[in-house]
Amino acid sequence: MDNGLLIEARDVCVVRDDQYILNQVSLDLLHGEILTLVGLNGAGKTTLVKVLAGLMAADSGMVNRRPDIRIGYCPQRTHPDTTLPMSARDFLRLTDAAAGMSVTGILQEVGIGDLASRQLYRLSGGEYQRLLLARAMLRRPDLLILDEPMSGVDMAGQSELYELIPRLRDEYGCGVVLVSHDIYIVMAATDRVVCINHHLCCSGQPESVIRHPEFIALFGDRIAGTLAIYKHDYSRDLHDNALEDGP
Amino acid sequence: MPEFIINALLAGTLLAIIGGPLGCFVVWRRMAYFGAAIAHSGLLGVALALLTGSLLLDAADNSNDPGYRLGSTLVNDPWPAVLIVSLLLAMGLLILQRRHLLASDTLLGIVAHGSLAVGLLIVASMASLQVDIMSYLFGDILAVGDADIIMLAVPGIAVLALLVGNWRPLLAATVNADIAAAEGINIRRTELLFVLMLACVVALGIRLVGVLLIVSMLIIPPATARRLTNTPVHMAIAASVISVLDVWAGLAACWYFNLPAGPTIVTVSMLLFIAVMLLPEQK
């Protein structure tokens, strides 16, 4: 595969009960890039990342992963079960740490170094998301997939997480796929935005995607307008209209 | 002590040790009803073995006929057939669950009670065989012989070895199947392995505490242990220890007060659970 290309998906379709969950979605994931996947609830975002990660098979289409790719996957928030006694440290020991990575080190790096012996079900939403992130990073992944990492996290915690994710990307040089139904995330540290609604609506740099008619149709004029205000703070070239239309 | 009590202690202790960690997974994975469905079908296994056996005996011309020998084996010892039926049923249930045709508990309920009813009907229709239904429903740990201990120990220790050997992938798949799968664990294989281990231990346990009580031996000790422990490994070990104590205390009570063994063990187990629940919660 090309240099820098982690996963290449072409014309991926997933059908359930005669309905297209995903319809002819094509996507490339690149090394070192933060890609944000936006779309309404039920638009097929989680299905798409599961197909990309190899957790689910596509009904048609093709997914090529770089050989020996290591994927760190943080699923949507699940409530830890109180019947299972397990500390944060034990949770991280369920995976094989990559060379040079340690449980204590990664806990500190994601900012919950003092919670190693805390039981899972006693962690707050934000602490649990950080723990999932720590488990994924422990393997030094080539690609980090975060499915709705902000759910159950309060506002202060959210902005800290938004800062943490690009920092981890810079330090470990992994690609990142961030799934969100919260479009404000679009303007955070994202290199590329892909908007799906079963099919691929539009993709490109954040400031161009929010002007795309399909994006405005999905999320509404008002929200696109709000985001346009954010845009002035954005460091990129505002006149870059490069827009990759979906099929 | 008479030999039957020693055999009962041995068999019960063995089941308790294996049931501890296995039962923890039943609790963590919320599969108590899955275990109950397999257990209830145990009576169907017994009934099918007896029916096939007696049909073979009737059809055989003389006692040298291979059909006659198979028939008498089935009638005298239906337990290998119970094990086979349990394993097949567990695989069948797993396939049906994966298709999501019905809510899981509805499916399990149909299988559990349907197979129990059919099993009872078959046994009732075979008037020529004097079948002690009660010993299948509530077990007969006091009737365990020397040969039965071996029949229990060999598969039991194999299950325990598999459980210990696959501890981490099993635990990872239990905590979060998606993360485990992304980390390269084969979830379907782990699930199948677990369900087959469960079916095996349930089939072995039916003999000791019966179709209706075996699942309680798998879930009450872990539930008691949960309150006292903070790591998965400690909970599994504590469940085994608690279960062994339940068996010993239950058998002692049934010996001194002349009580039925299976229900006594389960009652002791439940009383210990209640006692532990009354302890103040640890921080």
Side-chain angles (χ1 to χ4, degrees):
Chain A
M1 287 177 102
D2 288 353
N3 196 24
L5 189 59
L6 294 175
I7 297 181
E8 179 185 26
R10 288 290 171 273
D11 302 322
V12 167
C13 295
V14 173
V15 184
R16 289 287 177 274
D17 300 327
D18 298 328
Q19 301 246 337
Y20 276 100
I21 309 288
L22 293 176
N23 190 356
Q24 304 257 311
V25 176
S26 298
L27 197 62
D28 288 341
L29 299 180
L30 305 174
H31 191 257
E33 181 191 51
I34 299 185
L35 180 143
T36 302
L37 193 58
V38 295
L40 302 177
N41 283 326
K45 303 185 295 290
T46 295
T47 305
L48 178 56
V49 290
K50 282 192 172 180
V51 169
L52 293 172
L55 301 178
M56 193 189 253
D59 293 312
S60 68
M62 165 201 99
V63 178
N64 280 332
R65 276 174 282 274
R66 203 186 72 187
D68 301 326
I69 189 173
R70 278 172 317 218
I71 294 176
Y73 179 67
C74 300
Q76 277 195 53
R77 182 167 162 74
T78 47
H79 292 282
D81 194 344
T82 53
T83 62
L84 176 63
M86 181 174 273
S87 65
R89 189 189 290 113
D90 287 341
F91 180 77
L92 295 183
R93 284 182 180 152
L94 290 175
T95 194
D96 289 313
M101 303 295 288
S102 77
V103 165
T104 322
I106 197 69
L107 279 172
Q108 267 160 9
E109 202 162 339
V110 301
I112 49 171
D114 51 339
L115 299 180
S117 53
R118 180 78 54 95
Q119 290 283 302
L120 291 188
Y121 62 91
R122 293 196 192 277
L123 295 175
S124 73
E127 289 161 353
Y128 190 70
Q129 288 298 345
R130 282 161 189 266
L131 183 66
L132 290 182
L133 197 55
R135 167 121 172 228
M137 295 314 296
L138 205 51
R139 311 176 69 238
R140 271 187 180 272
D142 304 301
L143 178 68
L144 179 62
I145 297 179
L146 306 164
D147 194 349
E148 300 279 5
M150 302 304 166
S151 61
V153 182
D154 60 28
M155 289 301 282
Q158 288 195 10
S159 58
E160 282 171 23
L161 267 178
Y162 285 134
E163 285 166 26
L164 178 61
I165 292 164
R167 203 167 76 225
L168 290 172
R169 184 268 311 260
D170 294 343
E171 189 179 337
Y172 295 100
C174 53
V176 179
V177 176
L178 204 60
V179 175
S180 181
H181 70 272
D182 169 15
I183 55 166
Y184 288 91
I185 208 173
V186 170
M187 303 313 290
T190 292
D191 300 313
R192 187 155 58 110
V193 178
V194 170
C195 173
I196 67 164
N197 184 25
H198 303 299
H199 65 287
L200 196 143
C201 300
C202 48
S203 78
Q205 291 181 347
E207 59 274 19
S208 53
V209 164
I210 59 162
R211 286 195 296 252
H212 193 277
E214 276 210 67
F215 183 89
I216 294 172
L218 272 181
F219 288 103
D221 233 348
R222 191 183 58 80
I223 292 169
T226 327
L227 286 173
I229 300 166
Y230 273 80
K231 209 169 58 172
H232 295 295
D233 296 331
Y234 205 77
S235 59
R236 280 183 191 279
D237 175 16
L238 296 180
H239 304 292
D240 180 9
N241 284 323
L243 205 66
E244 301 161 34
D245 276 334
Chain B
M1 262 194 293
E3 195 185 346
F4 71 89
I5 273 285
I6 294 175
N7 278 343
L9 274 172
L10 266 174
T13 304
L14 206 59
L15 182 66
I17 291 171
I18 303 157
L22 192 80
C24 285
F25 278 105
V26 173
V27 170
W28 296 333
R29 300 178 74 106
R30 302 177 185 279
M31 285 178 73
Y33 208 23
F34 196 102
I38 296 172
H40 283 62
S41 75
L43 194 76
L44 182 64
V46 171
L48 287 176
L50 296 179
L51 181 66
T52 320
S54 59
L55 288 176
L56 284 171
L57 286 180
D58 290 347
D61 299 327
N62 58 67
S63 58
N64 287 325
D65 198 320
Y68 183 90
R69 268 178 278 151
L70 178 61
S72 72
T73 309
L74 282 170
V75 169
N76 290 325
D77 186 6
W79 296 106
V82 172
L83 180 61
I84 292 166
V85 168
S86 297
L87 293 172
L88 289 176
L89 187 91
M91 284 191 277
L93 279 175
L94 198 60
I95 292 168
L96 287 176
Q97 278 192 336
R98 282 175 184 169
R99 297 216 170 151
H100 299 287
L101 297 174
L102 279 174
S104 198
D105 58 340
T106 308
L107 171 71
L108 294 175
I110 292 168
V111 170
H113 304 295
S115 61
L116 183 65
V118 174
L120 287 169
L121 273 183
I122 294 175
V123 172
S125 69
M126 289 186 298
S128 60
L129 288 170
Q130 291 295 313
V131 180
D132 179 12
I133 292 274
M134 291 297 275
S135 77
Y136 293 113
L137 293 182
F138 300 106
D140 201 356
I141 193 171
L142 300 178
V144 170
D146 292 346
D148 301 324
I149 299 273
I150 307 287
M151 281 295 293
L152 182 68
V154 172
I157 289 169
V159 166
L160 195 61
L162 274 172
L163 195 61
V164 172
N166 289 281
W167 179 264
R168 201 167 74 142
L170 271 170
L171 190 59
T174 300
V175 173
N176 191 306
D178 281 337
I179 297 179
E183 290 173 354
I185 290 169
N186 186 335
I187 297 297
R188 286 176 161 248
R189 191 193 140 272
T190 339
E191 200 175 33
L192 177 65
L193 174 72
F194 176 69
V195 161
L196 292 179
M197 291 193 294
L198 177 60
C200 184
V201 171
V202 165
L204 299 175
I206 290 173
R207 172 138 217 200
L208 307 186
V209 289
V211 163
L212 300 181
L213 295 177
I214 173 63
V215 172
S216 63
M217 265 196 84
L218 291 177
I219 60 171
I220 301 178
T224 312
R226 169 67 192 94
R227 193 63 187 264
L228 305 169
T229 51
N230 263 330
T231 75
V233 173
H234 289 170
M235 179 165 155
I237 294 170
S240 284
V241 172
I242 288 167
S243 191
V244 168
L245 293 177
D246 292 339
V247 167
W248 289 354
L251 283 174
C254 99
W255 172 247
Y256 286 110
F257 304 111
N258 195 23
L259 299 169
T264 311
I265 293 171
V266 176
T267 305
V268 167
S269 179
M270 193 186 64
L271 290 175
L272 186 61
F273 170 75
I274 293 170
V276 168
M277 289 307 280
L278 293 175
L279 294 174
E281 196 174 354
Q282 56 175 348
K283 286 294 161 198

